[in-house]
Amino acid sequence: VLGGCAPHGHVRADRPGVLVIGAGLQRTGLQSLGAALGTLGYRATGGMDYQLNPELFRAWNRFLEEGDFDGVDDLLRQGDWNATLDFPFNVAYQKLLNRNPSAKVILTVRDSAEAWTKSYVGHIPEYTALRHYGAYVFLLLAGFWGEEADVSLRLKRAAQFHDCDVPAIHMSSLEQRPALLDRCNKGYELYVEKVKREVPSDRLLVFNVKEGWRPLCDFLGVPMPSVLFPHVDD
């Protein structure tokens, strides 16, 4: 679970539902934000829960493929979470807002689209048959079935929201690569503008983790902690 720092105690533990919705794409400082939210007393669920929890994975895929959000909503309410981050939670910000009227949305961003593309492409290892097979076996042992354990399908599912096809980039020629990277840049920019357009401004914080505690705490209405803002794999 993201946000593994010891709670600072500013958030009431008995408040039901999701209070914070992280709408930022992967590689926008989500681990740092998760740690910061944990320090403030929030309990965040994120991409690793989706990737490694078969029940949550299947519920999310029903939403991504069929639009059925009820299974996800039920699991979130059953779990001990009041904040969400990372894929696929981020791309469901509208559904989460509709189901959690008091929630606030944090859109984490990088300094530029190019900075995001460089980070996103760089953090996904180049495809090899051995690496793919190792991940496939690991996921089968974790309780996933057949195509559920196919890592390439998981990457494609995320890429549809930002149009950044990392396997294609790794396999591209020098002539093809600039156009593919430009698609990533544009996909990032379009996604950021979409969130800004669709989320009411009074419920949205556009946040670069370099800004530290003040804008985050002001937005959430909690005191600033005395510890340094965490920076984890930014």
Side-chain angles (χ1 to χ4, degrees):
V1 175
L2 293 169
C5 293
H8 203 263
H10 295 317
V11 180
R12 283 180 52 192
D14 59 344
R15 292 186 67 182
V18 174
L19 301 176
V20 175
I21 300 164
L25 291 173
Q26 303 93 307
R27 306 306 299 171
T28 57
L30 297 182
Q31 291 193 51
S32 296
L33 176 60
L37 290 174
T39 299
L40 296 174
Y42 293 89
R43 300 176 304 280
T45 181
M48 290 305 293
D49 293 311
Y50 163 73
Q51 297 289 355
L52 299 178
N53 181 324
E55 186 180 15
L56 194 56
F57 181 87
R58 289 167 192 144
W60 271 110
N61 285 354
R62 283 193 295 274
F63 165 67
L64 295 171
E65 296 167 7
E66 304 167 17
D68 178 8
F69 196 70
D70 289 342
V72 173
D73 194 48
D74 289 344
L75 288 173
L76 287 174
R77 294 185 185 282
Q78 293 168 20
D80 188 33
W81 304 308
N82 56 16
T84 62
L85 299 170
D86 207 349
F87 182 81
F89 302 85
N90 51 359
V91 299
Y93 58 87
Q94 281 283 33
K95 286 287 187 181
L96 288 165
L97 265 178
N98 292 340
R99 302 288 180 108
N100 300 274
S102 62
K104 295 185 176 182
V105 178
I106 300 174
L107 174 63
T108 41
V109 296
R110 301 285 297 210
D111 291 341
S112 67
E114 291 77 13
W116 176 79
T117 295
K118 181 179 179 181
S119 180
Y120 184 71
V121 172
H123 100 285
I124 297 177
E126 190 168 351
Y127 175 91
T128 66
L130 182 60
R131 180 178 285 128
H132 181 91
Y133 181 73
Y136 180 77
V137 171
F138 172 81
L139 291 169
L140 287 178
L141 293 173
F144 293 92
W145 309 325
E147 288 188 349
E148 292 179 347
D150 188 329
V151 177
S152 62
L153 291 178
R154 292 175 177 225
L155 289 174
K156 288 179 182 178
R157 188 172 284 119
Q160 66 181 300
F161 295 97
H162 48 62
D163 203 25
C164 191
D165 189 344
V166 177
I169 291 170
H170 285 320
M171 293 185 288
S172 66
S173 66
L174 290 177
E175 292 78 16
Q176 296 168 325
R177 186 160 298 191
L180 291 171
L181 292 174
D182 191 50
R183 278 178 56 183
C184 295
N185 296 339
K186 290 178 179 176
Y188 168 85
E189 291 171 343
L190 288 171
Y191 178 83
V192 169
E193 290 307 313
K194 180 175 182 288
V195 176
K196 290 179 180 179
R197 186 172 61 250
E198 293 182 348
V199 178
S201 59
D202 61 335
R203 299 177 67 183
L204 176 66
L205 172 67
V206 180
F207 181 58
N208 188 318
V209 294
K210 292 180 179 179
E211 299 175 85
W213 284 119
R214 183 165 296 283
L216 179 63
C217 292
D218 287 349
F219 178 66
L220 296 176
V222 298
M224 284 181 54
S226 58
V227 298
L228 293 175
F229 188 91
H231 291 283
V232 186
D233 192 27
D234 291 342

